[in-house]
Amino acid sequence: MKRGDCQKRVLIVDDEADIRELLDLTMVRMGLVADCAANLAEARQFLASAHYQLCLTDMRLPDGEGLSLVRHIGEVFPELPVAVITAHGSAENAVAALKAGAFDYLSKPVSLDQLRALVKTAVGLPSAEAASTSVADDEFSLLGSSSAMEEVRSLIERVARSQAPVHIQGESGSGKEMAARLIHRLGARSAGTFVPVNCGAIPENLMESEFFGYRKGAFTGADQDRDGFFQTAHGGTLFLDEVADLPPAMQVKLLRVIQEKKLRKVGSPTEDAVDVRILSATHQNLRALVEQGKFRQDLYFRLNVIELRMPSLRECGSDVLLLADRILQRLAKDTEGPLPVLSVEAKRALVSYPFPGNVRELENILERAMALRTSNSIEVADLNLAPVSVIYSAEDPGGVEGQSLQDYLDQVERQVLLEALNKTRFNRTAAAKVLGVTFRSLRYRMERLGLND
């Protein structure tokens, strides 16, 4: 069947004639051409004879499983997004399909609003060539020729073409949000909104209204309707940073929204459909938290369909010098001054430094060095780096032999301050709150330990 070869085409695979007819009619109304197959054999014949922009397949077919078609398309037609239709409430099948490479999934009975949203997203996918070009030219935090960074960029290119949830694991300051933004920008939702949410910064009693919104009069002070994070990200991407900090009650509600793709505003009698891609991140070991009973296992499996690990800066070798050059270029541009140069000794010091705060700490070090330097050359003394042995002994109190007590205490305090600053993205007011000290006390401690910008 060769209808409208100049139009975008969709392959529909389902053994139920009424489902095929419903999907076919919906595609026609969206200006698309649909070819319908009742089984795997017919689907393979269509795939061999025509070019498609999307495949919609049922999970259970007379001659096999829809997952086998997902895998076949992934191997033979890697550019073709495939979405699966699962039985209502079959969360295991949906997760299995996403892990097998499915673009997204729909639950029966099929919601036409969700179907249209999925189709619009899928047929707007960028080409692999465009994605490859974009990822290579992106922001400085993804620069580098090390194998660790090459692997990250390659995985980002692949996962950007899916709608599967991605969980980004990595130390504080390693670029988790940058990776999430790049996944969004290279994917089909790039025209939509990217909404970053720091889950650890929202008071527990405000979480439901912040995430799901509320209706006027829902509680004291609700003088008008308000959208939450999910509604703001509708058609785009919701990035849940520090997702491990979500309290148990919110984990349950978040799981339901992810599974049903519907939510209820606080004070609303009805549910609204929501179309977002979920990306999450944490510096903690989420699997270990599940084993300790501190994070729901079912939510973990929903969020961790694809895992992306951001390498620490110390794993990237001389990439630190590429990053340093780019950061210095930006700083010089911001200050409208001459571009400073790192001395040979300063370069050696940066390459050997372990960077417990990763890229964020590198930026902080270089910004401070720009202010402290006495010439256009940045020397080792301008960097004000702590000795490597001191940093590791601060992480392991058993290795402090040869240090004075004051040096050791200063180093521990420095590490604690850095962790709080990294967690709050160097927002000193928020860091003081995390540490339980006044802003003035935090500022004094930062000055004494040489942590001021």
Side-chain angles (χ1 to χ4, degrees):
M1 191 180 296
K2 303 283 186 181
R3 297 175 293 168
D5 286 337
C6 62
Q7 292 179 276
K8 292 185 176 181
R9 306 174 70 89
V10 177
L11 176 60
I12 297 168
V13 188
D14 200 297
D15 61 334
E16 297 183 49
D18 56 341
I19 296 293
R20 292 199 302 272
E21 184 176 356
L22 172 65
L23 297 178
D24 188 2
L25 182 59
T26 303
M27 296 305 103
V28 170
R29 287 175 175 171
M30 294 181 71
L32 303 169
V33 173
D35 291 334
C36 297
N39 52 52
L40 290 175
E42 289 183 10
R44 288 175 182 260
Q45 291 176 3
F46 275 118
L47 287 168
S49 61
H51 179 71
Y52 296 95
Q53 279 69 49
L54 172 66
C55 174
L56 293 168
T57 180
D58 194 9
M59 283 289 281
R60 298 188 180 278
L61 297 164
D63 53 348
E65 294 289 330
L67 283 181
S68 66
L69 184 60
V70 174
R71 296 189 183 97
H72 172 72
I73 289 175
E75 295 171 0
V76 183
F77 308 99
E79 296 294 307
L80 173 60
V82 52
V84 299
I85 302 172
T86 69
H88 177 70
S90 180
E92 295 80 7
N93 284 343
V95 172
L98 292 172
K99 285 185 177 292
F103 171 77
D104 205 349
Y105 70 92
L106 292 168
S107 297
K108 291 183 178 180
V110 175
S111 163
L112 292 184
D113 287 341
Q114 291 181 3
L115 172 63
R116 294 187 190 101
L118 184 153
V119 172
K120 288 178 182 178
T121 301
V123 298
L125 282 171
S127 67
E129 291 78 9
S132 179
T133 301
S134 299
V135 75
D137 298 333
D138 210 77
E139 296 290 343
F140 63 82
S141 63
L142 290 179
L143 281 177
S145 57
S146 63
S147 59
M149 286 309 302
E150 292 281 4
E151 185 177 341
V152 165
R153 286 196 295 265
S154 175
L155 185 55
I156 285 176
E157 290 176 16
R158 298 199 301 273
V159 303
R161 297 183 57 78
S162 168
Q163 292 298 290
V166 179
H167 180 64
I168 306 170
Q169 178 71 35
E171 297 179 6
S172 295
S174 59
K176 297 188 291 296
E177 182 173 336
M178 179 59 65
R181 288 184 180 276
L182 190 53
I183 291 171
H184 168 77
R185 192 172 66 75
L186 296 181
R189 295 175 177 269
S190 58
T193 306
F194 177 88
V195 179
V197 178
N198 186 339
C199 298
I202 306 171
E204 186 171 351
N205 63 325
L206 296 179
M207 275 199 167
E208 186 172 2
S209 60
E210 289 292 315
F211 273 88
F212 307 142
Y214 54 81
R215 295 289 297 273
K216 180 180 179 180
F219 49 82
T220 303
D223 53 359
Q224 61 182 357
D225 288 358
R226 178 182 171 184
D227 287 340
F229 298 134
F230 272 92
Q231 292 95 337
T232 303
H234 186 75
T237 302
L238 181 62
F239 174 53
L240 304 176
D241 198 7
E242 296 304 340
V243 70
D245 291 339
L246 285 173
M250 193 62 202
Q251 293 180 30
V252 175
K253 293 172 182 176
L254 179 61
L255 174 64
R256 185 180 183 281
V257 173
I258 293 175
Q259 289 183 164
E260 303 297 330
K261 298 184 179 181
K262 294 179 181 178
L263 59 78
R264 189 191 306 273
K265 282 187 173 182
V266 176
S268 174
T270 60
E271 290 187 324
D272 300 317
V274 65
D275 172 34
V276 301
R277 184 181 189 183
I278 300 289
L279 305 179
S280 62
T282 182
H283 70 281
Q284 301 184 59
N285 186 328
L286 210 54
R287 184 185 296 273
L289 294 178
V290 170
E291 293 172 353
Q292 296 166 18
K294 297 179 180 178
F295 198 85
R296 291 184 64 95
Q297 185 179 58
D298 45 9
L299 179 57
Y300 168 74
F301 286 129
R302 274 293 183 174
L303 296 175
N304 198 47
V305 173
I306 300 174
E307 184 172 81
L308 173 67
R309 180 183 174 276
M310 292 301 294
S312 63
L313 191 52
R314 59 185 170 276
E315 295 175 68
C316 298
S318 59
D319 284 354
V320 64
L321 298 181
L322 293 174
L323 290 167
D325 285 343
R326 183 65 65 87
I327 292 169
L328 289 174
Q329 289 175 22
R330 174 171 57 80
L331 292 173
K333 183 178 180 181
D334 291 343
T335 58
E336 298 183 353
L339 179 65
V341 178
L342 288 166
S343 69
V344 174
E345 293 76 13
K347 289 181 178 180
R348 289 174 181 164
L350 287 176
V351 171
S352 61
Y353 184 70
F355 287 102
N358 292 292
V359 178
R360 197 175 297 136
E361 185 183 5
L362 173 62
E363 290 185 275
N364 195 46
I365 287 171
L366 292 177
E367 194 166 0
R368 183 174 61 235
M370 283 274 288
L372 296 177
R373 63 189 165 88
T374 56
S375 68
N376 198 46
S377 176
I378 294 179
E379 304 297 334
V380 175
D382 299 324
L383 299 175
N384 195 27
L385 301 176
V388 173
S389 60
V390 172
I391 291 175
Y392 283 124
S393 66
E395 294 175 353
D396 178 10
V400 299
E401 184 177 352
Q403 284 185 273
S404 70
L405 177 60
Q406 187 58 55
D407 287 342
Y408 172 65
L409 293 175
D410 285 349
Q411 208 48 52
V412 171
E413 185 177 1
R414 182 178 188 272
Q415 189 69 21
V416 170
L417 290 176
L418 278 174
E419 288 176 0
L421 289 165
N422 285 328
K423 185 174 183 179
T424 59
R425 297 175 187 165
F426 281 81
N427 182 321
R428 290 187 289 181
T429 302
K433 187 175 181 181
V434 169
L435 294 169
V437 300
T438 65
F439 177 83
R440 177 176 293 183
S441 175
L442 176 68
R443 185 172 60 184
Y444 163 76
R445 292 168 187 271
M446 289 178 65
E447 289 175 353
R448 187 174 67 81
L449 297 170
L451 292 176
N452 270 347
D453 297 337

